[in-house]
Every structure is written in C-alpha cells, then in structure tokens.
mmCIF file of all heavy atoms in Angstrom:
data_model
loop_
_atom_site.group_PDB
_atom_site.id
_atom_site.type_symbol
_atom_site.label_atom_id
_atom_site.label_comp_id
_atom_site.label_asym_id
_atom_site.label_seq_id
_atom_site.Cartn_x
_atom_site.Cartn_y
_atom_site.Cartn_z
ATOM 1 N N ASP A 1 111.162 114.444 35.964
ATOM 2 C CA ASP A 1 110.739 115.193 37.159
ATOM 3 C C ASP A 1 109.219 115.200 37.296
ATOM 4 O O ASP A 1 108.688 114.991 38.386
ATOM 5 C CB ASP A 1 111.266 116.630 37.098
ATOM 6 C CG ASP A 1 112.778 116.678 37.153
ATOM 7 O OD1 ASP A 1 113.410 116.529 36.083
ATOM 8 O OD2 ASP A 1 113.321 116.851 38.256
ATOM 9 N N ALA A 2 108.527 115.422 36.181
ATOM 10 C CA ALA A 2 107.063 115.456 36.206
ATOM 11 C C ALA A 2 106.499 114.078 36.542
ATOM 12 O O ALA A 2 105.520 113.971 37.287
ATOM 13 C CB ALA A 2 106.517 115.951 34.872
ATOM 14 N N ALA A 3 107.103 113.017 36.012
ATOM 15 C CA ALA A 3 106.628 111.657 36.297
ATOM 16 C C ALA A 3 106.780 111.330 37.777
ATOM 17 O O ALA A 3 105.874 110.753 38.398
ATOM 18 C CB ALA A 3 107.383 110.642 35.445
ATOM 19 N N ILE A 4 107.897 111.714 38.352
ATOM 20 C CA ILE A 4 108.128 111.452 39.779
ATOM 21 C C ILE A 4 107.169 112.280 40.625
ATOM 22 O O ILE A 4 106.595 111.781 41.602
ATOM 23 C CB ILE A 4 109.600 111.709 40.137
ATOM 24 C CG1 ILE A 4 110.457 110.605 39.508
ATOM 25 C CG2 ILE A 4 109.803 111.774 41.649
ATOM 26 C CD1 ILE A 4 111.949 110.851 39.582
ATOM 27 N N GLN A 5 106.960 113.529 40.254
ATOM 28 C CA GLN A 5 106.033 114.381 41.007
ATOM 29 C C GLN A 5 104.613 113.826 40.940
ATOM 30 O O GLN A 5 103.905 113.792 41.954
ATOM 31 C CB GLN A 5 106.070 115.820 40.487
ATOM 32 C CG GLN A 5 105.249 116.781 41.319
ATOM 33 C CD GLN A 5 105.758 116.901 42.740
ATOM 34 O OE1 GLN A 5 106.933 117.226 42.943
ATOM 35 N NE2 GLN A 5 104.915 116.639 43.733
ATOM 36 N N ARG A 6 104.196 113.366 39.776
ATOM 37 C CA ARG A 6 102.848 112.793 39.618
ATOM 38 C C ARG A 6 102.687 111.565 40.508
ATOM 39 O O ARG A 6 101.666 111.399 41.179
ATOM 40 C CB ARG A 6 102.603 112.436 38.152
ATOM 41 C CG ARG A 6 101.240 111.841 37.899
ATOM 42 C CD ARG A 6 101.030 111.546 36.427
ATOM 43 N NE ARG A 6 99.704 110.996 36.203
ATOM 44 C CZ ARG A 6 99.204 110.739 35.025
ATOM 45 N NH1 ARG A 6 99.898 111.001 33.934
ATOM 46 N NH2 ARG A 6 98.000 110.237 34.907
ATOM 47 N N ALA A 7 103.703 110.705 40.526
ATOM 48 C CA ALA A 7 103.655 109.511 41.368
ATOM 49 C C ALA A 7 103.620 109.901 42.845
ATOM 50 O O ALA A 7 102.852 109.333 43.636
ATOM 51 C CB ALA A 7 104.844 108.607 41.076
ATOM 52 N N GLN A 8 104.426 110.877 43.228
ATOM 53 C CA GLN A 8 104.439 111.338 44.616
ATOM 54 C C GLN A 8 103.085 111.931 44.996
ATOM 55 O O GLN A 8 102.556 111.648 46.076
ATOM 56 C CB GLN A 8 105.552 112.357 44.821
ATOM 57 C CG GLN A 8 105.715 112.785 46.271
ATOM 58 C CD GLN A 8 106.884 113.737 46.459
ATOM 59 O OE1 GLN A 8 107.306 114.439 45.536
ATOM 60 N NE2 GLN A 8 107.416 113.766 47.666
ATOM 61 N N ASP A 9 102.501 112.719 44.127
ATOM 62 C CA ASP A 9 101.187 113.309 44.393
ATOM 63 C C ASP A 9 100.114 112.239 44.561
ATOM 64 O O ASP A 9 99.148 112.431 45.299
ATOM 65 C CB ASP A 9 100.783 114.263 43.270
ATOM 66 C CG ASP A 9 101.623 115.531 43.221
ATOM 67 O OD1 ASP A 9 102.372 115.813 44.187
ATOM 68 O OD2 ASP A 9 101.553 116.237 42.188
ATOM 69 N N ALA A 10 100.297 111.094 43.894
ATOM 70 C CA ALA A 10 99.327 109.993 43.993
ATOM 71 C C ALA A 10 99.564 109.110 45.219
ATOM 72 O O ALA A 10 98.753 108.248 45.516
ATOM 73 C CB ALA A 10 99.377 109.144 42.725
ATOM 74 N N GLY A 11 100.682 109.325 45.930
ATOM 75 C CA GLY A 11 100.935 108.563 47.151
ATOM 76 C C GLY A 11 102.220 107.766 47.185
ATOM 77 O O GLY A 11 102.484 107.055 48.152
ATOM 78 N N ALA A 12 103.067 107.898 46.156
ATOM 79 C CA ALA A 12 104.354 107.201 46.149
ATOM 80 C C ALA A 12 105.350 107.929 47.038
ATOM 81 O O ALA A 12 105.194 109.111 47.340
ATOM 82 C CB ALA A 12 104.903 107.117 44.724
ATOM 83 N N THR A 13 106.385 107.219 47.450
ATOM 84 C CA THR A 13 107.479 107.785 48.230
ATOM 85 C C THR A 13 108.703 107.897 47.328
ATOM 86 O O THR A 13 109.073 106.932 46.656
ATOM 87 C CB THR A 13 107.813 106.873 49.428
ATOM 88 O OG1 THR A 13 106.643 106.740 50.234
ATOM 89 C CG2 THR A 13 108.948 107.436 50.262
ATOM 90 N N VAL A 14 109.322 109.062 47.319
ATOM 91 C CA VAL A 14 110.513 109.261 46.505
ATOM 92 C C VAL A 14 111.714 108.658 47.232
ATOM 93 O O VAL A 14 112.011 109.020 48.364
ATOM 94 C CB VAL A 14 110.757 110.760 46.208
ATOM 95 C CG1 VAL A 14 112.050 110.964 45.433
ATOM 96 C CG2 VAL A 14 109.573 111.347 45.446
ATOM 97 N N MET A 15 112.371 107.700 46.586
ATOM 98 C CA MET A 15 113.597 107.100 47.118
ATOM 99 C C MET A 15 114.820 107.896 46.685
ATOM 100 O O MET A 15 115.778 108.027 47.433
ATOM 101 C CB MET A 15 113.781 105.665 46.596
ATOM 102 C CG MET A 15 112.997 104.620 47.300
ATOM 103 S SD MET A 15 113.306 102.955 46.615
ATOM 104 C CE MET A 15 115.054 102.741 46.831
ATOM 105 N N MET A 16 114.783 108.351 45.438
ATOM 106 C CA MET A 16 115.892 109.112 44.869
ATOM 107 C C MET A 16 115.300 110.195 43.990
ATOM 108 O O MET A 16 114.688 109.898 42.964
ATOM 109 C CB MET A 16 116.784 108.192 44.027
ATOM 110 C CG MET A 16 117.922 108.905 43.338
ATOM 111 S SD MET A 16 118.826 107.746 42.271
ATOM 112 C CE MET A 16 119.768 108.907 41.310
ATOM 113 N N PRO A 17 115.450 111.455 44.383
ATOM 114 C CA PRO A 17 114.941 112.536 43.535
ATOM 115 C C PRO A 17 115.640 112.512 42.174
ATOM 116 O O PRO A 17 116.767 112.029 42.047
ATOM 117 C CB PRO A 17 115.312 113.806 44.304
ATOM 118 C CG PRO A 17 115.605 113.360 45.693
ATOM 119 C CD PRO A 17 116.088 111.945 45.596
ATOM 120 N N ALA A 18 114.990 113.041 41.181
ATOM 121 C CA ALA A 18 115.566 113.090 39.845
ATOM 122 C C ALA A 18 116.855 113.899 39.852
ATOM 123 O O ALA A 18 116.937 114.951 40.491
ATOM 124 C CB ALA A 18 114.573 113.687 38.860
ATOM 125 N N SER A 19 117.847 113.366 39.153
ATOM 126 C CA SER A 19 119.103 114.089 38.994
ATOM 127 C C SER A 19 119.741 113.661 37.669
ATOM 128 O O SER A 19 119.430 112.601 37.136
ATOM 129 C CB SER A 19 120.057 113.822 40.164
ATOM 130 O OG SER A 19 120.417 112.457 40.214
ATOM 131 N N ASP A 20 120.636 114.515 37.172
ATOM 132 C CA ASP A 20 121.365 114.189 35.949
ATOM 133 C C ASP A 20 122.464 113.203 36.317
ATOM 134 O O ASP A 20 123.267 113.468 37.219
ATOM 135 C CB ASP A 20 121.955 115.451 35.320
ATOM 136 C CG ASP A 20 120.882 116.398 34.809
ATOM 137 O OD1 ASP A 20 119.703 115.993 34.710
ATOM 138 O OD2 ASP A 20 121.223 117.559 34.508
ATOM 139 N N CYS A 21 122.477 112.055 35.647
ATOM 140 C CA CYS A 21 123.394 110.974 36.010
ATOM 141 C C CYS A 21 124.491 110.795 34.972
ATOM 142 O O CYS A 21 124.339 111.182 33.811
ATOM 143 C CB CYS A 21 122.610 109.683 36.187
ATOM 144 S SG CYS A 21 121.477 109.778 37.593
ATOM 145 N N PHE A 22 125.583 110.176 35.408
ATOM 146 C CA PHE A 22 126.774 110.062 34.574
ATOM 147 C C PHE A 22 126.560 109.302 33.272
ATOM 148 O O PHE A 22 127.308 109.473 32.316
ATOM 149 C CB PHE A 22 127.936 109.432 35.362
ATOM 150 C CG PHE A 22 127.737 107.981 35.718
ATOM 151 C CD1 PHE A 22 128.027 106.980 34.798
ATOM 152 C CD2 PHE A 22 127.283 107.624 36.978
ATOM 153 C CE1 PHE A 22 127.855 105.644 35.132
ATOM 154 C CE2 PHE A 22 127.111 106.297 37.313
ATOM 155 C CZ PHE A 22 127.400 105.301 36.385
ATOM 156 N N TRP A 23 125.536 108.489 33.174
ATOM 157 C CA TRP A 23 125.312 107.701 31.954
ATOM 158 C C TRP A 23 124.474 108.431 30.904
ATOM 159 O O TRP A 23 124.142 107.889 29.870
ATOM 160 C CB TRP A 23 124.694 106.340 32.277
ATOM 161 C CG TRP A 23 123.381 106.412 33.013
ATOM 162 C CD1 TRP A 23 122.129 106.551 32.461
ATOM 163 C CD2 TRP A 23 123.180 106.345 34.419
ATOM 164 N NE1 TRP A 23 121.168 106.575 33.437
ATOM 165 C CE2 TRP A 23 121.792 106.453 34.663
ATOM 166 C CE3 TRP A 23 124.029 106.207 35.519
ATOM 167 C CZ2 TRP A 23 121.245 106.418 35.943
ATOM 168 C CZ3 TRP A 23 123.468 106.179 36.791
ATOM 169 C CH2 TRP A 23 122.094 106.288 36.990
ATOM 170 N N GLY A 24 124.101 109.683 31.201
ATOM 171 C CA GLY A 24 123.423 110.498 30.208
ATOM 172 C C GLY A 24 121.921 110.614 30.371
ATOM 173 O O GLY A 24 121.248 111.161 29.502
ATOM 174 N N ASP A 25 121.388 110.119 31.472
ATOM 175 C CA ASP A 25 119.947 110.204 31.743
ATOM 176 C C ASP A 25 119.691 111.092 32.954
ATOM 177 O O ASP A 25 120.509 111.171 33.864
ATOM 178 C CB ASP A 25 119.350 108.829 32.074
ATOM 179 C CG ASP A 25 119.259 107.892 30.891
ATOM 180 O OD1 ASP A 25 119.499 108.335 29.751
ATOM 181 O OD2 ASP A 25 118.955 106.703 31.112
ATOM 182 N N ARG A 26 118.533 111.730 32.967
ATOM 183 C CA ARG A 26 117.991 112.301 34.198
ATOM 184 C C ARG A 26 117.186 111.168 34.788
ATOM 185 O O ARG A 26 116.345 110.561 34.110
ATOM 186 C CB ARG A 26 117.126 113.527 33.908
ATOM 187 C CG ARG A 26 116.649 114.189 35.197
ATOM 188 C CD ARG A 26 116.393 115.668 35.004
ATOM 189 N NE ARG A 26 115.949 116.297 36.233
ATOM 190 C CZ ARG A 26 116.750 116.744 37.194
ATOM 191 N NH1 ARG A 26 118.061 116.647 37.059
ATOM 192 N NH2 ARG A 26 116.277 117.302 38.283
ATOM 193 N N TYR A 27 117.416 110.829 36.054
ATOM 194 C CA TYR A 27 116.945 109.570 36.617
ATOM 195 C C TYR A 27 116.503 109.767 38.059
ATOM 196 O O TYR A 27 117.125 110.515 38.808
ATOM 197 C CB TYR A 27 118.105 108.570 36.545
ATOM 198 C CG TYR A 27 117.877 107.227 37.175
ATOM 199 C CD1 TYR A 27 117.295 106.193 36.458
ATOM 200 C CD2 TYR A 27 118.288 106.974 38.477
ATOM 201 C CE1 TYR A 27 117.111 104.943 37.026
ATOM 202 C CE2 TYR A 27 118.105 105.725 39.051
ATOM 203 C CZ TYR A 27 117.517 104.712 38.318
ATOM 204 O OH TYR A 27 117.341 103.473 38.880
ATOM 205 N N GLY A 28 115.412 109.087 38.447
ATOM 206 C CA GLY A 28 114.945 109.105 39.824
ATOM 207 C C GLY A 28 114.140 107.853 40.114
ATOM 208 O O GLY A 28 113.746 107.119 39.197
ATOM 209 N N VAL A 29 113.881 107.611 41.410
ATOM 210 C CA VAL A 29 113.252 106.359 41.839
ATOM 211 C C VAL A 29 112.171 106.635 42.883
ATOM 212 O O VAL A 29 112.353 107.462 43.780
ATOM 213 C CB VAL A 29 114.316 105.411 42.448
ATOM 214 C CG1 VAL A 29 113.690 104.095 42.888
ATOM 215 C CG2 VAL A 29 115.460 105.170 41.480
ATOM 216 N N ILE A 30 111.049 105.907 42.754
ATOM 217 C CA ILE A 30 109.964 105.979 43.744
ATOM 218 C C ILE A 30 109.595 104.567 44.194
ATOM 219 O O ILE A 30 109.895 103.582 43.517
ATOM 220 C CB ILE A 30 108.704 106.699 43.195
ATOM 221 C CG1 ILE A 30 108.085 105.969 41.978
ATOM 222 C CG2 ILE A 30 109.031 108.126 42.787
ATOM 223 C CD1 ILE A 30 106.868 105.166 42.306
ATOM 224 N N VAL A 31 108.936 104.503 45.357
ATOM 225 C CA VAL A 31 108.330 103.261 45.826
ATOM 226 C C VAL A 31 106.832 103.510 45.870
ATOM 227 O O VAL A 31 106.372 104.506 46.450
ATOM 228 C CB VAL A 31 108.813 102.869 47.245
ATOM 229 C CG1 VAL A 31 108.143 101.584 47.711
ATOM 230 C CG2 VAL A 31 110.314 102.731 47.280
ATOM 231 N N ASP A 32 106.074 102.622 45.242
ATOM 232 C CA ASP A 32 104.624 102.800 45.262
ATOM 233 C C ASP A 32 104.051 102.302 46.594
ATOM 234 O O ASP A 32 104.762 101.663 47.377
ATOM 235 C CB ASP A 32 103.973 102.169 44.026
ATOM 236 C CG ASP A 32 103.933 100.648 44.019
ATOM 237 O OD1 ASP A 32 103.877 100.009 45.093
ATOM 238 O OD2 ASP A 32 103.927 100.081 42.907
ATOM 239 N N PRO A 33 102.789 102.618 46.893
ATOM 240 C CA PRO A 33 102.203 102.214 48.178
ATOM 241 C C PRO A 33 102.099 100.699 48.374
ATOM 242 O O PRO A 33 101.787 100.239 49.462
ATOM 243 C CB PRO A 33 100.805 102.845 48.145
ATOM 244 C CG PRO A 33 100.898 103.952 47.165
ATOM 245 C CD PRO A 33 101.893 103.500 46.141
ATOM 246 N N PHE A 34 102.410 99.925 47.333
ATOM 247 C CA PHE A 34 102.301 98.472 47.399
ATOM 248 C C PHE A 34 103.677 97.817 47.494
ATOM 249 O O PHE A 34 103.805 96.602 47.424
ATOM 250 C CB PHE A 34 101.494 97.961 46.192
ATOM 251 C CG PHE A 34 100.188 98.703 46.094
ATOM 252 C CD1 PHE A 34 100.081 99.832 45.310
ATOM 253 C CD2 PHE A 34 99.096 98.330 46.871
ATOM 254 C CE1 PHE A 34 98.898 100.564 45.280
ATOM 255 C CE2 PHE A 34 97.915 99.061 46.844
ATOM 256 C CZ PHE A 34 97.821 100.178 46.043
ATOM 257 N N GLY A 35 104.721 98.654 47.656
ATOM 258 C CA GLY A 35 106.078 98.169 47.869
ATOM 259 C C GLY A 35 106.896 97.949 46.612
ATOM 260 O O GLY A 35 108.038 97.519 46.694
ATOM 261 N N HIS A 36 106.344 98.241 45.442
ATOM 262 C CA HIS A 36 107.082 98.051 44.197
ATOM 263 C C HIS A 36 107.898 99.300 43.886
ATOM 264 O O HIS A 36 107.459 100.429 44.126
ATOM 265 C CB HIS A 36 106.135 97.717 43.045
ATOM 266 C CG HIS A 36 105.401 96.439 43.272
ATOM 267 N ND1 HIS A 36 106.001 95.212 43.169
ATOM 268 C CD2 HIS A 36 104.132 96.197 43.654
ATOM 269 C CE1 HIS A 36 105.129 94.264 43.453
ATOM 270 N NE2 HIS A 36 103.981 94.841 43.757
ATOM 271 N N ILE A 37 109.090 99.096 43.353
ATOM 272 C CA ILE A 37 110.026 100.182 43.064
ATOM 273 C C ILE A 37 109.994 100.484 41.568
ATOM 274 O O ILE A 37 110.078 99.580 40.743
ATOM 275 C CB ILE A 37 111.454 99.810 43.500
ATOM 276 C CG1 ILE A 37 111.481 99.486 45.000
ATOM 277 C CG2 ILE A 37 112.426 100.939 43.181
ATOM 278 C CD1 ILE A 37 112.796 98.902 45.477
ATOM 279 N N TRP A 38 109.868 101.771 41.262
ATOM 280 C CA TRP A 38 109.810 102.239 39.875
ATOM 281 C C TRP A 38 110.903 103.270 39.665
ATOM 282 O O TRP A 38 111.049 104.193 40.467
ATOM 283 C CB TRP A 38 108.462 102.895 39.597
ATOM 284 C CG TRP A 38 107.290 101.988 39.764
ATOM 285 C CD1 TRP A 38 106.727 101.572 40.943
ATOM 286 C CD2 TRP A 38 106.523 101.377 38.732
ATOM 287 N NE1 TRP A 38 105.656 100.746 40.699
ATOM 288 C CE2 TRP A 38 105.515 100.605 39.339
ATOM 289 C CE3 TRP A 38 106.588 101.415 37.343
ATOM 290 C CZ2 TRP A 38 104.582 99.874 38.609
ATOM 291 C CZ3 TRP A 38 105.660 100.689 36.608
ATOM 292 C CH2 TRP A 38 104.674 99.929 37.244
ATOM 293 N N SER A 39 111.660 103.123 38.608
ATOM 294 C CA SER A 39 112.632 104.149 38.248
ATOM 295 C C SER A 39 112.167 104.820 36.959
ATOM 296 O O SER A 39 111.566 104.187 36.103
ATOM 297 C CB SER A 39 114.036 103.548 38.080
ATOM 298 O OG SER A 39 114.068 102.548 37.093
ATOM 299 N N PHE A 40 112.438 106.109 36.883
ATOM 300 C CA PHE A 40 112.054 106.913 35.720
ATOM 301 C C PHE A 40 113.291 107.597 35.172
ATOM 302 O O PHE A 40 114.161 108.021 35.937
ATOM 303 C CB PHE A 40 111.022 107.980 36.104
ATOM 304 C CG PHE A 40 109.721 107.399 36.539
ATOM 305 C CD1 PHE A 40 109.470 107.151 37.875
ATOM 306 C CD2 PHE A 40 108.751 107.073 35.610
ATOM 307 C CE1 PHE A 40 108.278 106.593 38.274
ATOM 308 C CE2 PHE A 40 107.550 106.515 36.005
ATOM 309 C CZ PHE A 40 107.313 106.275 37.349
ATOM 310 N N ALA A 41 113.349 107.709 33.862
ATOM 311 C CA ALA A 41 114.486 108.387 33.248
ATOM 312 C C ALA A 41 114.041 109.134 32.006
ATOM 313 O O ALA A 41 113.115 108.725 31.313
ATOM 314 C CB ALA A 41 115.572 107.381 32.878
ATOM 315 N N THR A 42 114.727 110.232 31.765
ATOM 316 C CA THR A 42 114.623 110.974 30.523
ATOM 317 C C THR A 42 116.036 111.006 29.951
ATOM 318 O O THR A 42 116.975 111.451 30.633
ATOM 319 C CB THR A 42 114.110 112.411 30.768
ATOM 320 O OG1 THR A 42 112.821 112.328 31.375
ATOM 321 C CG2 THR A 42 114.029 113.195 29.476
ATOM 322 N N HIS A 43 116.190 110.497 28.750
ATOM 323 C CA HIS A 43 117.518 110.438 28.139
ATOM 324 C C HIS A 43 117.936 111.828 27.695
ATOM 325 O O HIS A 43 117.206 112.510 26.973
ATOM 326 C CB HIS A 43 117.511 109.471 26.949
ATOM 327 C CG HIS A 43 118.855 109.182 26.417
ATOM 328 N ND1 HIS A 43 119.822 108.543 27.167
ATOM 329 C CD2 HIS A 43 119.416 109.457 25.217
ATOM 330 C CE1 HIS A 43 120.923 108.429 26.447
ATOM 331 N NE2 HIS A 43 120.703 108.980 25.254
ATOM 332 N N LEU A 44 119.103 112.264 28.160
ATOM 333 C CA LEU A 44 119.589 113.609 27.870
ATOM 334 C C LEU A 44 120.733 113.637 26.866
ATOM 335 O O LEU A 44 120.879 114.597 26.106
ATOM 336 C CB LEU A 44 120.084 114.279 29.160
ATOM 337 C CG LEU A 44 119.081 114.414 30.300
ATOM 338 C CD1 LEU A 44 119.764 114.971 31.539
ATOM 339 C CD2 LEU A 44 117.908 115.281 29.879
ATOM 340 N N LYS A 45 121.558 112.578 26.873
ATOM 341 C CA LYS A 45 122.798 112.638 26.105
ATOM 342 C C LYS A 45 123.217 111.235 25.686
ATOM 343 O O LYS A 45 123.286 110.325 26.520
ATOM 344 C CB LYS A 45 123.873 113.263 27.003
ATOM 345 C CG LYS A 45 125.238 113.378 26.427
ATOM 346 C CD LYS A 45 126.160 114.014 27.477
ATOM 347 C CE LYS A 45 127.588 114.019 26.999
ATOM 348 N NZ LYS A 45 128.490 114.530 28.035
ATOM 349 N N ASP A 46 123.484 111.045 24.405
ATOM 350 C CA ASP A 46 124.022 109.774 23.915
ATOM 351 C C ASP A 46 125.500 109.698 24.285
ATOM 352 O O ASP A 46 126.246 110.665 24.080
ATOM 353 C CB ASP A 46 123.869 109.658 22.400
ATOM 354 C CG ASP A 46 122.415 109.529 21.966
ATOM 355 O OD1 ASP A 46 121.604 109.000 22.743
ATOM 356 O OD2 ASP A 46 122.102 109.967 20.845
ATOM 357 N N MET A 47 125.887 108.560 24.840
ATOM 358 C CA MET A 47 127.279 108.373 25.246
ATOM 359 C C MET A 47 127.743 106.978 24.842
ATOM 360 O O MET A 47 126.958 106.027 24.888
ATOM 361 C CB MET A 47 127.419 108.540 26.762
ATOM 362 C CG MET A 47 127.025 109.905 27.273
ATOM 363 S SD MET A 47 127.054 110.013 29.077
ATOM 364 C CE MET A 47 128.808 109.968 29.400
#
C-alpha cells in the first residue's frame, strides 16, 4: 500500500488498488508517467 501511494504521489496512475489476493499476496498495479506498468506485492501467506 505504501509503495503504491508513494508512486501515486510521484505522478503514477493506479490501475489496480492494493488488495489481498487469492495466491497469498497483497497486490496492486500502477502505470508510470512513461507508460510502463509496475506491480507491487507484499507476501502475506505461504500457499
């Protein structure tokens, strides 16, 4: 969440807000001002 917020504050667009996902990660996606897509995850649960 903090990584996505930092990127958004710097000018990125959030494509997918962070959420807890079925594979055990908290995951979200941003697009930077140059068109590149970055996904961020924090591992929550081994599965």
Side-chain angles (χ1 to χ4, degrees):
D1 295 84
I4 289 170
Q5 186 63 56
R6 180 178 181 175
Q8 186 177 25
D9 291 347
T13 301
V14 176
M15 279 181 59
M16 177 184 166
S19 63
D20 293 347
C21 294
F22 68 83
W23 58 86
D25 289 351
R26 184 153 180 84
Y27 175 87
V29 181
I30 62 102
V31 179
D32 73 29
F34 308 93
H36 298 287
I37 302 171
W38 299 76
S39 59
F40 295 93
T42 300
H43 190 64
L44 302 175
K45 178 180 174 184
D46 292 331
M47 299 175 71

